[in-house]
Amino acid sequence: MTQAVLWPWILIYPALVLILTVGVWQAQRLRPGFGRRTLLTVSVGSAVIYLIWRVAFTIPTETPAAMVVGITLVAVEIIGLVQTLAFTAVVWSTTPPRPVPLSALPSIPSVDVFIATYNEPVSMLRTTVAGALGMRYPGTVTIYLCDDGGRDAVGQLAAEFGVEHLTREDHSHAKAGNLNNALAVSHGEIVVTLDADMIPRANFLEATVGHFIDDRLAFVQAPQAFYNQDPFQYNLFSGKALPNEQDFFMRTLQSGKNRFNAVMYVGSNTLFRRTALEKIGGFATGVITEDVATGMLLQAEKYRATFVPQVVAAGLAPETLPDLLRQRDRWARGNIQAARKWNPLTWPGLTPMQRALYVDGVIYWYFGVFKLVYVLAPLFFLILGIPAVTANLASLAVFWLPFFVSSMLSFAVIADRKRSFLWSHVYELAMAPTLAVSTLAETAGLKVSAFAVTPKGKLNSNRQFHWRIALPHLVLLGLSVLGLVNVFVLNPGQFDRNSIVISVFWTLYNMAGLAMAVLLCIERPRVRAAERAAVECVIEADLPGIGVISGRAVDLSIGGARISLPWTDGFRPELLADVPLRPTSLSIDGVGAVTGQSRWVIAGDDSLTVGFAFGQLSAAQTVGIVGLITASADWVRDDRETGAGLAASAGRAVAGTVRRVTAHARADVRVPTNAPALVRLLSIQEVCLPDDPNGEGRHRAAAGTPVLVSHASDALEAAVVDYSFGGCRLRVGERLEPGDFVSVEIPDRLETPELAQVRWVQRHRGSYRVGLSFGRSEAPVAVAS
């Protein structure tokens, strides 16, 4: 039978696949869930057919170099098929387990909460401890601050909140050793592990402990969620459009793994049965990611694990791109280390699906290597003329097009707007060079850097471009442009037309992702000391000269609130002319009276809006404030993309990057001047409350708490640009850092030296401009020389 006779029959396959996949995709938009498994089956089937064709007919044999490139590419594609099969098994059914109420338990077990900390800010720990104390539970709960840093300030925090403070002299095995130390001195039947930044909601225990009615249940894993924007959301100005990059794994894939008893322990937001942990000798040690190994060892002992999809705790995602890459570097190396020490293919007790999914979890971390192969393969042809694929366009239409379209549409249906095909491409490309080096180095057994906690909660007032991170992407972009110029300008008509179409398509696709990766490297300033959440709660504001006015809180953070006070017949905007409408205290429903100061005031048509900074909060007030924040539906973003097209996000990123950062409208009048000033830099230990000698006052000073400052440094000469009640701008010859505390003397302008915090720093004509926020209080600030 001739090719001309066979060809119409061959076209039936791609036509059927395209009609079926596009039809199911359109139908499920009207009826969610329709044909989901059919689409998955077609996608996997077309992937198998495609790879059979690739291996049998498309590997170039013209030269040894072409064979090497071609075989390398097809090997990576085969690995991709293996990952696709694992992904399909996981998402085939993602029905989570039914909730189990506490009332189902024959008795209420005692609970120990381990909050692991090393060098995180005490202010961060304060909110986590407050969240833990706010958890509702009818049984006994003991909270342990597991402090591997041995800091006095953490001990004082524990005493203030009435929780246990644990330290140890032997700091071996990092976090795992820290947790094992706590395990040895505690006695609760259920053990909860929380990272230092992970704040539990009030219903954390109510939603999880009931599952331990199953005697063989070893641990319950809730998703790690995040209440701040990660670098992809923040640097690309897409926080409202994109979910957190980790959400898809934490909320969707973990749910799918539940069917195979292969839920991964991810280090936090987890509850363990103590007897199960003791059976395996405690938390696994000897690797830098103790979590994945601990979970796998428990499952190998035939214990069960379950996943609770409800967001019952949230923390801080890495806030800069370098921090995110350091975190992923640690995870990648740690997974490879764990697989080397406890090989899931041979470790006794695991089921075949558990083995497959844990191996898939290790293979995943080589995505950096795989992605670079996909980027470089078409460039070998465009620049050097070395083809990676030998195929004509007709064959591509028959075998590649059905595979590609069915893969994209099935992923779109399964992900349900939680992750798109294109954004997966961007995420992987952005991290590919760094993680390719990490995984290859770890595989080769090269020395691993010491364990380091991912920095979180740091202010950053400067926009910066991460050249070292962007350099590989810029090089690949440059090579892509060179390849296109070579084919279309320098040597037109010299290359095979079919190979040109294939290579140009993938090069343009990769260039889009590389361009987004470069934009990601432009780090936006982060100047907000605490994340805000929209709340709806009743407040009463005490305005001097006016009295108590009822209103509502608009949003809330651990440091302050934005409040709205409606105008009434007795409370009108005209009062602004005679009385400074600045509340000195707020009574917040569920918290009580909180003192502080007004940072700014805006008079609108319907209400007076006030930015209010809290003074020193008591332990009980902190618990109440944290409870209101975590109860907000706005505290944690949902996990779906909304308007997150690549072009739209690129447009927002470019527009936001070139636009100058504008200051918020100011309620305080700025008075320009050229007065001289003296600035003294204060260390953390030197900024403290009279009853807080260990420095926690550093985090409260700017909120208006009376502060005593001593042992100031030598004075720096400065010039005042302008000043107001709330702060000033200075010109100084030496650089100060955002977050630093200083004392400021402005003769003939300020009656006493002011304590201030550095909010932003800009280089300006050989000197620095610095924005300071005063820590105003009724008590004067004393500065010892």
Side-chain angles (χ1 to χ4, degrees), residues 237-249:
F237 294 80
S238 296
K240 294 182 180 180
L242 282 176
N244 186 283
E245 185 267 335
Q246 294 185 53
D247 279 348
F248 189 62
F249 171 79

Side-chain angles (χ1 to χ4, degrees), residues 307-370:
F307 176 73
V308 173
Q310 191 173 352
V311 175
V312 291
L316 287 169
E319 293 166 307
T320 69
L321 183 58
D323 291 340
L324 183 142
L325 291 174
R326 274 191 289 269
Q327 180 192 69
R328 304 309 162 85
D329 170 90
R330 188 172 73 248
W331 291 355
R333 288 178 177 269
N335 273 266
I336 296 171
Q337 287 178 6
R340 185 182 295 123
K341 187 171 184 179
W342 300 283
N343 188 341
L345 286 175
T346 58
W347 193 258
L350 295 174
T351 67
M353 276 306 299
Q354 287 173 332
R355 297 184 194 280
L357 292 180
Y358 275 108
V359 169
D360 177 67
V362 176
I363 292 175
Y364 164 79
W365 289 107
Y366 288 87
F367 73 80
V369 177
F370 305 152

Side-chain angles (χ1 to χ4, degrees), residues 16-182:
L16 285 175
V17 171
L18 294 174
I19 290 171
L20 184 59
T21 53
V22 173
V24 171
W25 174 66
Q26 288 289 352
Q28 69 81 37
R29 298 175 71 180
L30 301 174
R31 184 183 169 188
F34 174 81
R36 185 173 179 271
R37 293 180 178 178
T38 300
L39 202 55
L40 278 172
T41 303
V42 172
S43 176
V44 170
S46 63
V48 171
I49 292 172
Y50 164 74
L51 278 173
I52 292 173
W53 169 72
R54 282 280 286 115
V55 172
F57 301 105
T58 66
I59 297 176
T61 58
E62 294 86 355
T63 64
M67 287 186 65
V68 170
V69 173
I71 291 173
T72 301
L73 179 59
V74 83
V76 169
E77 289 186 276
I78 291 171
I79 294 172
L81 174 61
V82 174
Q83 292 180 295
T84 298
L85 292 173
F87 175 78
T88 302
V90 167
V91 300
W92 189 261
S93 175
T94 55
T95 304
R98 292 181 178 179
V100 181
L102 291 174
S103 59
L105 295 169
S107 61
I108 300 298
S110 56
V111 175
D112 289 337
V113 179
F114 296 168
I115 302 173
T117 179
Y118 175 61
N119 62 358
E120 295 85 357
V122 176
S123 58
M124 176 189 295
L125 285 172
R126 187 178 183 86
T127 57
T128 303
V129 172
L133 284 170
M135 293 187 299
R136 296 186 296 265
Y137 191 66
T140 301
V141 177
T142 307
I143 298 170
Y144 294 87
L145 267 175
C146 307
D147 177 22
D148 239 13
R151 294 171 290 170
D152 291 340
V154 177
Q156 292 176 4
L157 175 69
E160 179 187 357
F161 281 85
V163 303
E164 301 294 327
H165 181 225
L166 294 182
T167 60
R168 57 180 182 140
E169 294 184 4
D170 176 13
H171 298 283
S172 60
H173 301 305
K175 180 182 175 182
N178 192 10
L179 294 175
N180 282 332
N181 176 66

Side-chain angles (χ1 to χ4, degrees), residues 587-722:
S587 180
I588 304 175
D589 190 26
V591 177
V594 179
T595 59
Q597 71 173 89
S598 305
R599 288 296 189 195
W600 51 265
V601 176
I602 298 175
D605 294 335
D606 302 319
S607 64
L608 182 74
T609 304
V610 180
F612 188 84
F614 298 143
Q616 182 178 359
L617 297 174
S618 68
Q621 288 173 328
T622 305
V623 171
I625 292 291
V626 170
L628 288 173
I629 293 170
T630 57
S632 168
D634 181 62
W635 184 48
V636 177
R637 188 197 185 282
D638 69 22
D639 58 346
R640 281 179 166 80
E641 295 179 2
T642 55
L646 231 56
S649 294
R652 284 191 296 267
V654 171
T657 300
V658 300
R659 185 175 59 240
R660 263 186 91 180
V661 178
T662 58
H664 294 292
R666 305 181 189 278
D668 293 319
V669 176
R670 290 279 188 177
V671 179
T673 182
N674 195 31
L678 294 177
V679 179
R680 290 184 173 89
L681 180 65
L682 308 172
S683 72
I684 294 175
Q685 291 76 21
E686 294 164 348
V687 182
C688 54
L689 300 175
D691 62 347
D692 185 14
N694 289 289
E696 175 60 9
R698 178 181 187 274
H699 304 288
R700 304 174 190 159
T705 307
V707 175
L708 178 65
V709 179
S710 60
H711 305 296
S713 66
D714 294 337
L716 302 175
E717 293 185 355
V720 183
V721 178
D722 55 38

Side-chain angles (χ1 to χ4, degrees), residues 483-785:
L484 296 175
V485 170
N486 183 49
V487 168
F488 294 112
V489 179
L490 300 179
N491 296 291
Q494 301 299 311
F495 293 87
D496 175 68
R497 182 169 61 91
N498 295 309
S499 295
I500 288 177
V501 172
I502 297 170
S503 300
V504 168
F505 173 84
W506 284 116
T507 298
L508 293 175
Y509 176 74
N510 292 329
M511 287 178 72
L514 290 167
M516 294 298 292
V518 172
L519 287 173
L520 178 68
C521 292
I522 304 173
E523 198 76 57
R524 286 176 63 193
R526 289 192 190 240
V527 295
R528 180 174 293 176
E531 298 294 326
R532 302 174 186 173
V535 296
E536 284 290 339
C537 64
V538 176
I539 59 96
E540 291 183 335
D542 186 6
L543 280 74
I546 300 296
V548 175
I549 302 297
S550 294
R552 63 183 180 87
V554 178
D555 57 41
L556 190 64
S557 76
I558 195 63
R562 182 160 56 113
I563 64 173
S564 176
L565 304 175
W567 300 123
T568 63
D569 291 340
F571 178 59
R572 301 296 302 162
E574 291 78 14
L575 292 170
L576 282 165
D578 303 315
V579 181
L581 300 181
R582 294 180 175 275
T584 55
S585 69
L586 301 180
S587 180
I588 304 175
D589 190 26
V591 177
V594 179
T595 59
Q597 71 173 89
S598 305
R599 288 296 189 195
W600 51 265
V601 176
I602 298 175
D605 294 335
D606 302 319
S607 64
L608 182 74
T609 304
V610 180
F612 188 84
F614 298 143
Q616 182 178 359
L617 297 174
S618 68
Q621 288 173 328
T622 305
V623 171
I625 292 291
V626 170
L628 288 173
I629 293 170
T630 57
S632 168
D634 181 62
W635 184 48
V636 177
R637 188 197 185 282
D638 69 22
D639 58 346
R640 281 179 166 80
E641 295 179 2
T642 55
L646 231 56
S649 294
R652 284 191 296 267
V654 171
T657 300
V658 300
R659 185 175 59 240
R660 263 186 91 180
V661 178
T662 58
H664 294 292
R666 305 181 189 278
D668 293 319
V669 176
R670 290 279 188 177
V671 179
T673 182
N674 195 31
L678 294 177
V679 179
R680 290 184 173 89
L681 180 65
L682 308 172
S683 72
I684 294 175
Q685 291 76 21
E686 294 164 348
V687 182
C688 54
L689 300 175
D691 62 347
D692 185 14
N694 289 289
E696 175 60 9
R698 178 181 187 274
H699 304 288
R700 304 174 190 159
T705 307
V707 175
L708 178 65
V709 179
S710 60
H711 305 296
S713 66
D714 294 337
L716 302 175
E717 293 185 355
V720 183
V721 178
D722 55 38
Y723 72 97
S724 72
F725 176 88
C728 64
R729 285 192 296 167
L730 303 179
R731 287 193 303 271
V732 294
E734 296 183 24
R735 179 179 172 84
L736 300 174
E737 295 297 330
D740 283 348
F741 279 86
V742 297
S743 69
V744 182
E745 296 177 50
I746 307 178
D748 302 325
R749 298 293 195 280
L750 299 177
E751 294 181 3
T752 60
E754 282 286 346
L755 174 71
Q757 187 175 25
V758 178
R759 292 300 188 187
W760 54 264
V761 180
Q762 292 179 342
R763 181 81 178 177
H764 184 72
R765 297 179 182 176
S767 62
Y768 295 92
R769 285 200 174 187
V770 180
L772 302 180
S773 174
F774 291 150
R776 291 285 192 177
S777 65
E778 295 178 0
V781 177
V783 180
S785 59

